[in-house]
Structure formats: structure tokens, C-alpha cells
Amino acid sequence: MRCWLQTEEMALEELMQRLNAVSQCTDEIMHQDIIPLYAADIQDQLKKQFAYLSGGRGGDGCPVITFPDYPAFNEIPEKEFQNVLTYLTSIPSLRDAGIGFILVIDRRQDKWTSVKASILRITASFPGNLQLVLVLRPTGFFHRALSDIAFKFHKDEFKMKVPIIMLGSVSELQGYIDKTQLTEDLGGTLDYCHNRWLSRRTAIEGFAQKVKQTAQILQSFGTELAETELPNDVQSTSSLLATHTEKKDKMKEDIRLAVEQGDDVLGSITKPVTENPEYKLNQDQLDNQTTVERLLAQLHETETAFDEFWIKHQQKLEQCLCLRNFEQNFREVKAALDIVSERLSAFTDVGNSCSHAEHILKDLVNFEEKSCEIIAKARMLASEGDTFIQSNHYAVDSIIPKCSELHHLCDAFTTEMERRRNLLNKSLELHSLLEKSMKWCDEGIYLLASQPVDKCQSQDGAESALQEIEKFLDTGAGNKIKELNKIYREYAQILNEDLKEHVQKVFQKQESMEEMFQKRQVSLKKLAAKQTRPVQPVAPRPEAFVKSPCTSPGLQRDYVSNSESSVLRKVNYRRGKSEMTELHQSRGGSTMDDEENLAVLRQHVINELIETERAYVEELLCVLEGYAAEMDNPLMAHLISPELQNKKDILFGNMEEIYHFHNRIFLRELENYVEYPELVGRCFLDQMEDFQIYEKYCQNKPRSESLWRQFSDSVFFQECQRKLDHKLSLDSYLLKPVQRITKYQLLLKEMLKYSKNCEGAEDLQEALTSILGILKAVNDSMHQIAITGYDGNLNELGKLLMQGSFNVWTDHKKGHSKVKDLARFKPMQRHLFLHEKAVLFCKKREENGEGYEKAPSYSYKHSLNMAAVGITENVKGDAKKFEIWYNAREEVYIIQAPTPEVKATWVNEIRKVLTSQLQACREASQHRTLEHTQSLPLPASSCTSPSRNNIRNAKKMDERKADLTSLEGYVTTVAPKYPEKGKGWAKTSHSLDASEENDGWSSAEDPLNSSDAEEEGGGGGGNEMKLTPGKYTVVTDYERGVSEEFTVKSGDLVQLIREGEDGLWYVKNLSTGREGWIPASNLLMLIGNSKSAQSLSSSESGTATSTLSTSSSCSDSCNASSTSFSDIKG
């Protein structure tokens, strides 16, 4: 820097010297250093032309100044006279002026007295050297004679001052001065125009002033440039360089204009020669030419000096700008290097499994690829700094430390990156060795568990099993850990406490497994040597388990989080510990072997569940980061077509919600059950509500797939796939959530298979049922969203319970006139959707297309409100048919299911809906009854008789209470899966004990006065029902009487004859004539309430005999104390 400042000062000093020399030389050329007088200053005085410099020369080259005849010569002010003479004498060169001037005084038209005065004034005031004065005396006779006499008389006086020669004519004048050097008014041939001369002198002097002024301006500009303080930022330096360059260009333009001006002046001087080559310039013209040429040379010198200075100054500014850019880039690169170095220092984890180490190594490689750009930029910047140093930049002392720092940081980063990579490779190598050992142990345990106990009891079987064991042990050479201390020494760099403990546990597991093999070998050798006694085989053969015991490697993304990493390590280490514990629990008995085998199989299932869950979470994250997030990346926006923009929610649905659930909740919960796989069902049950999010994803899947098909060839998706290095396209990953939700039920079935007698078996069964229910709901919802033409909101119909395709006949007997007599002999193909509040009838329409576009749609036809629906479970002649009727059979729909099983499922589901509606009505009715009871007036005093109406209302209330309490027994029951024959429910029948075949009923009908066996047996105070002799209709089958031959069937008419001891009643079956004893508790269940158990219509009376009706609303039925019904006829 100091050297550069000295160079800058030297350049400025040199410029100043050269420009000062130009100014001085210009003054010398124009003689301004002696007489600083310009023609422009005395232009008016020169225009009087009382004296002029014609350019003529005497014999020895003396300049000739002519004083023409000027009548007012004596009136010229002395100042003007002196200025003109001074200026004229300053024009010739110093050499010519030194010889002396020749004065030609033309007084031919003047008087002698004036001549004398003019001569004396001229000679007295002439500022230069006088060589000769030639006077043309007056031509008049008198004045001529007078001049001769006076001159002779005063001759001595004139001789004392200047040599004066009196001439009488022009011819005599030509004897002293050549004719060619005299102007035309003196009889010569010299071409002279005073105005032209004056204009030329003004131009020459103006040009000289321009040259001098230019030099002075460049001096000031050079000083300004040199004294300007250099900025400290790029923008200001760039602005300063632009400003100085602009000023320099302006100065160059002024110089160019000055050169043009000089060239014009020179051209005007040499114009006669240019026009006529034979023309010869006079000496005065030649002097002017020389003057202008010298001035042009000074101007060129001025420009050259400034250009040289500007080159140095511009170089300084450009180097300053480069320095500021270098410094700014250095700060940015330094900050970026600090960030990547800090991030690299965060790669301290060496992984707790093979997949974990692979994942960290992959992240490190990706990080290295992203950091390569920064490292390359830093090295390029350092190379740029080295170039500045080699080119002798003025700020070398500032650049060298920065370049050294950049080289050091890059080398340190590269070295640390290589060290981290080596550590992770070591970790990967160690975990691969551990996993090989664990896999080998698992295969060994699987081999022991899969050897059939019954075959091992024979000598051949024992020998075969022994050979299998020996063959397996031979494979351990390349799979097991041989020396623990060698492992410690070789992998000392990466062994932390947790990893060291893990290595120890794996080694212990390996030793325990080998110990088990040794014990098994001893036992088998004994069996092979001698068969002592038969052994009862008790261990089941695990033939169904054909899956490989090896678990697929999983991936885990969020390893940066300490908490998640610790959980993962604990899980892996606990897994080793758990399996070690299982190995140590080996016993000689076959029962203990079975338990061990099942425990191993359960551990395999839980391992597969957790590892595949990790892989699933990783795949979701890859899709969200590699595709979904990139759709919002401005750098990728140019690859996305306008039609695809803002379609991210359609393409990916709620995948982000699914990812967060599995990553933050479900996966962590699963890992807590790694040591207790049989209890994993509780984990599913706790999170079952969250699995509902899959329904939303699956409902959006058709839109997503349709959008994907439109843009699958998009450059954007291809670029994302390339960056992720995926072999499969995005649509394969969009299918992952659908595949995953179906995978759980398979894993739960496997776990349940090996956990039959475990503590968590019930939870596993419930979890499996719940998952299957979710799959069903998802499947149903996929059909529901395909419904078209429904005006209302399907969500208002409640939860979708069932959906399926059926054959449907209509038999509207009490409807409008248009459909009253219509009966559909050919069935309609209808797709039914059973909701909590309505059942929808739709027509299935197949669609053309691919994928989800090929899925059918459903055209809405009509719907039935479940509040007014009844069912007949069995239709005569077809076990697959049942009836759904509406508004007391005004509309009847005969439904034929594909199979009896489908029919039974639908009937049971409809029964549940109607039961729940009936229960809601009962509860509402009970609530209103209690409110009404509380609002009744108190009984009157003994002197006042109560009204009969009040007594009757009180009885009705008591009956209503008794009826409401009898509902619990039949609402919670389940109908048999396959009814053997049609059994009819009259609308007045309310003994709906669902443990029997209670086929049809209505949630809107209020079965009054019905009782439950529990209420009858438990005593219920005033609500307890008492049996009385009479005739009753049996509502359910009974085959266990006191007499084994006495049985009753549903629909039989029985007579209660008398009550015996021990709670038995003697009953006669009027339909068969048989008699027998039946316990009272069973009898209450068989015949229901004695007041309301009426005779059912016979099975022959129609197509159906058991019905469930909802012909009246719940509110009406709950408010009524009794309801009249009519038998249902086919």
C-alpha cells in the first residue's frame, strides 16, 4: 500500500511538471512571458490600422512595420499607440525582432509639420529595436520643398535618435525594400488584408489560450483524482470509477475539440498553398504556421501526459474495485465456510445400526455435494487473490492473509470431511458385522425353533437334525464375531459407550446361541445313539411361518434429534437384550421350547413392523422434500407448467399430515413395544382415531392419479426424480400410504397367530378388527365419493355403515296410484349405501379410462329415511332375500344379496341402526315421563276423592316406566347369521330377545309392557311381572325342559296351567299336545309380557313372517301409551 501511494504521488508530480511545461512553452511561443497582450484585448485599436505588420521583410530579414497615411495620427491616445506598437513588435520571432524593425512611414498626403511630429512620436515610443526608418515625404510642391529644407536643417537631430531616410517616391522605397515585400498601396505585390490578419491573429492567440487552459484544467483534474479517497465498498468504488471515467471522457472531448480548433487555424494559414502549390507564404505567415504547429505539439503533449496519468489512476481504481469485490466475496465465502464447517462438526453420530450409518453417510455425501460449490468458490477466490498478488496489486499486504486463510479453511474442511467419511465407513463396516452376527443368530434360533420335535424322537430324525445344526454352524466362520478385543482395537475411533455395550450384547447373544446349539447337539447325539423311550410330541410345527427371519433394513430420517436418536439406540439395544434373555430361558422341556419359538417369531414380527415403519416414514419424507417442497421452490418454477401450478394439495393430498402422525407419534410409540411385542395391539388401539386420516387421502387418490397422468412426463418431475436418485417415478410413492394401511392388518394377524395365550391377545384381536373396520370405511368412502346426482349433503346422513350391489324388486302396495299396481318382475341392479340416517339406492355406471378413472360411478335414484324404515329378515323361497319397507309398507323393496352371508351382515347392521334409534326414543320418552311425573299435582286429602283420569294416567306412567326398563335385554342382542326359516313379528310383539331368532321390528314402534328376564328375576319392585295362567304365543325356541321330550318352537301356542314348586310352571303346548315343566325365568323369555304377547301370523301367510317396522316417527311412538298394529301379509 505504501509503495502504491508513492507511485501515485510520483505520477501526479510528473503530470504537474509536464503540464506546467506546456503552459510555459505556450507563453513562450506566444511571447506572453514578455508582453502578456492579446489581439482580442486591443482589437478595436488594431482595427484603426494606423500601424500594421504586413509580413514583409527587409534585405536582412528585418520585419517591416508600416504606418499608413492616417489623418488623425496625432489624435491617437498614447495608451492605444503604445499597446499597438507593443503588440506588433511582439509578433515576430525573437531572432527577427533582435535584428531590428524597418519602419515605413507613408506621409505623402500629409504636411511636413505632421511628418515631423509623427516621426518624433514613433521614434520616441517605439518599444523595439529600430534598424531603419523610411519616410515617404509629402508629394505637394510646397510641403515637399519644406520637408527637404526642414529635414536638412534638423538632420542632425534625427540622426541622433534613429536612422531616417526621406524618400520622395515609391520607386525610391523599392530601392530599400524589395517590391515583393511591400503592400500594394506602397507599390508592392505583397498580399495583405488587415481584417484577415487580425482575424488570423485572434484565432492563433485563442488557440494558444485553449492549449494553456486545457493544461491548467488537466492539472486541477489530476490533482482531484489523485487526492480522492478510495471508498471501502463495492458500490461506492464502482460509482467513483464511473464518475472519474465520465470526467475523463469529457476532458478528452475538450482536447479533441482544441485539436480540431488548432487544425482549423493551421488549415487557414496553409490554405493558399493548398489551393495553389506555387504560392509562397511570406515570413509572417510562415511564423504563424510554426506557432500553430508548436501549439498543437504542446496540446498533444498535454493529452499524452494526461493519458499516462489516467492509465495509472484507472488502474488504481480498477484494482480498488477488484479489491472491494474480493473483500466482499471473501466475507461471503468465509461466512459460508463457517456455516458448512459448523454443519460438518454436527456429524458426530456414527449411527446405531447399519441402516442408520448408511443414512448418515448418505446425508454426509449429499452435504459434501452441496458444499462442493462453496469449496470451489473459495478456492477460485483464493486463486483470484493469488493473481492479484502476481500482478503487483497495490493492496498485496491485505490480500495475502485472506488468501492464506481461504486455503487453510478449504484444506481443513476437506480433511475433516474425509475423516468423517472414514469414521462412517468404519461404523458401517462394524454395524454390518454386527447385523451379520445377529442375522446368523436369528437364523440359528429359527432353525432350532423350526426343527419338529416329533421327528427328532427317532434316531434318523435326530441324526438329520444334528446334521442341519452342524451344517449351520459351519456357516458361522464369515458371520460371527470371533475376538471381542480385536473389535475393540480395530474400531476404537467410533466405539462410544452405547455402541460398545451393543457389541457386547451381540457377542453375548452369539455365545448364548452357540451354547444352545451345543446343548441341542448333546441331546440329539444321545437320541441318535440310543432311543430310550417314546416322547409325546407337544410342540406345534411352525409350518405356516415361511417368512424369512431376517428383517428388512429400515431408514430413519430425523437422526439429528438427540431424543429420537437415543430412542432408536435404546430400541436396538433392548432388542439384543430381549433376544439374549429369550436365549437364556431355554429349557429341556418341549413346552418351554414352544414358548421360546413363539417368542422368537413374535420378535421377528415386531422387528419387521418397526423397520418397515421407519422405511415408510423415510419414503414419505423423501416425497415431501423432493417433490412437494420443490413445487414451491422459485428456482424450479420455470420447470412447472402453468396448469400444474397451485395443484400441490391435489397431487399429494394430506400426505404431510400422515407423515407427521407416523414420524412424531406412531413410530415412537411402536418402538416402546420392541421388548413386549405381544402388547403392541394396545399401541394400535391408542392411535386408532388418528388412522382416520387415511380415509381423506384415499378419497383424494382418484384426483391425484388423474392429475399425475396428465403431467407424468413433466420436466419438473423428471428433474426431481433425478435429484432423489429414485428408480421409480412419483406415482409409485403416492401409492405408499394405501399400501401401508393394508399392511398393518397382515402384521397384526401374524402377531395374533403367535400370541394366542399371551396377555395382549384380546388387544391384538380388537386392533385387528379396528384396522379392518378402517379399511372397510376407506373402501366404502371411495364408493361414496363416486355418488352423483344427490342434491343434499351426504355428510348429514351420518356415518356410512355398509355399501354393496344388490338385485332389487319393488312392491309398492299402499303408494300413489302410479305405482300402486306395479310390481317389478325383473330385478333392478342397485348399489345400496346404508347410512346412520338413510339408505340410498343408486345405479352403478361403469366408466372407461385407466386407473381410478375406470372406477364406477353411482347415479342417485332415491333414498329412505331410517326413521321410517322397517325390515323383514327372511323372504320365503330365497335365503338371500330380505325386505326393506317404508311408511307401514307403503313402499316395499325386496333385496337379494349375492350370498346369505352378505344378507346376514346387512340385516344385522340395519337392526343395529334401528335398535339405536329405538333406544334413543326410549330414553327421550323416559326423560319426558319423569318430567311429567314431577309436574303432576299432589294427591288430594282423604276427604276429597281423586278423579278417575288421574288414577288412569298414573297407571299408564307406571306401565311406561316398566316398559322402558325392559328395553336393555333385546337391544344389545345379535340375530343369528343364517335363519332357518321365516318367522314373523306382529307389530304388537315386543319380546325381542335377540339371542333367539327375532327377525323383524321397528325402531319407531314402542313395544309396551314388555319385560326382561333379568328384571323379572331381579325383582324390580312394582315393575316386577307376575305370570298368570292363560294362553300365550311362544316367541323363541325352547328345547331344555324338565322333561327332555318337552320342546316348544317359536310361534307355538302354549297354555300356562299352574305354578308348581321351585319356580316351575306346568305348561301345555297346544300345537303339539305335549305337556311339561318349564322354569319361570325361561318362561318369561319365551312368552314375554302376558298382556301384549299376541298370536303371530302363520308362516304360510306371506313371503315373510318376521318384520321390523318404523312406520311412525320416534317422537310419536314415544309419546303414545299404546300402538295398534296389523299383521304383515306377504
Side-chain angles (χ1 to χ4, degrees), residues 51 76 121 131 205 253 262 328 373 386 457 538 571 667 719 784 797 881 913 917 961 1001 1105 1114:
I76 297 173
R121 186 178 185 184
Q131 188 180 33
E205 292 173 356
E253 180 65 19
Q328 179 176 333
E373 183 179 353
D386 293 337
Q457 307 309 312
V538 293
V571 167
L667 176 57
E719 179 65 16
Q784 182 181 2
L797 302 181
K881 289 183 179 180
V913 174
Q917 291 181 353
K961 292 180 182 179
W1001 47 279
T1105 60
C1114 292

Side-chain angles (χ1 to χ4, degrees), residues 745-889:
Q745 57 99 6
L746 299 177
L747 294 172
L748 285 173
K749 286 180 180 178
E750 285 290 314
M751 185 64 76
L752 183 61
K753 179 179 178 182
Y754 307 128
S755 308
K756 293 294 185 180
N757 299 322
C758 296
E759 178 185 352
E762 294 182 0
D763 288 342
L764 285 171
Q765 183 60 57
E766 185 178 353
L768 176 59
T769 303
S770 300
I771 285 291
L772 292 175
I774 288 178
L775 292 176
K776 177 182 176 301
V778 169
N779 182 62
D780 292 346
S781 66
M782 296 294 291
H783 290 273
Q784 182 181 2
I785 61 174
I787 297 176
T788 60
Y790 184 74
D791 294 335
N793 185 357
L794 291 173
N795 295 328
E796 295 178 356
L797 302 181
K799 182 180 178 181
L800 177 62
L801 304 175
M802 302 283 287
Q803 57 84 24
S805 295
F806 299 89
N807 292 329
V808 179
W809 289 265
T810 59
D811 188 8
H812 298 179
K813 297 184 178 181
K814 297 183 180 180
H816 300 288
S817 58
K818 293 183 178 180
V819 296
K820 183 175 181 180
D821 298 327
L822 287 178
R824 298 295 300 265
F825 296 100
K826 291 185 179 180
M828 298 178 291
Q829 298 295 324
R830 290 291 181 263
H831 201 90
L832 271 60
F833 293 87
L834 176 61
H835 293 260
E836 292 177 326
K837 298 181 180 180
V839 57
L840 273 61
F841 290 76
C842 301
K843 184 174 182 180
K844 184 176 181 180
R845 300 185 184 277
E846 298 292 342
E847 301 291 341
N848 296 323
E850 298 179 0
Y852 283 96
E853 289 185 357
K854 194 175 181 180
S857 62
Y858 303 98
S859 298
Y860 170 77
K861 294 302 182 180
H862 63 279
S863 61
L864 303 177
N865 190 340
M866 291 301 294
V869 163
I871 62 169
T872 301
E873 296 187 13
N874 296 308
V875 177
K876 186 176 181 180
D878 194 338
K880 297 184 291 184
K881 289 183 179 180
F882 63 97
E883 284 185 352
I884 298 179
W885 40 270
Y886 194 65
N887 283 343
R889 300 187 64 86

Side-chain angles (χ1 to χ4, degrees), residues 39 343 414 466 469 489 546 693 784 969 1025 1080:
R343 291 180 179 175
T414 304
L466 189 60
I469 291 177
R489 290 193 302 270
V546 296
I693 57 179
Q784 182 181 2
M1025 175 184 172

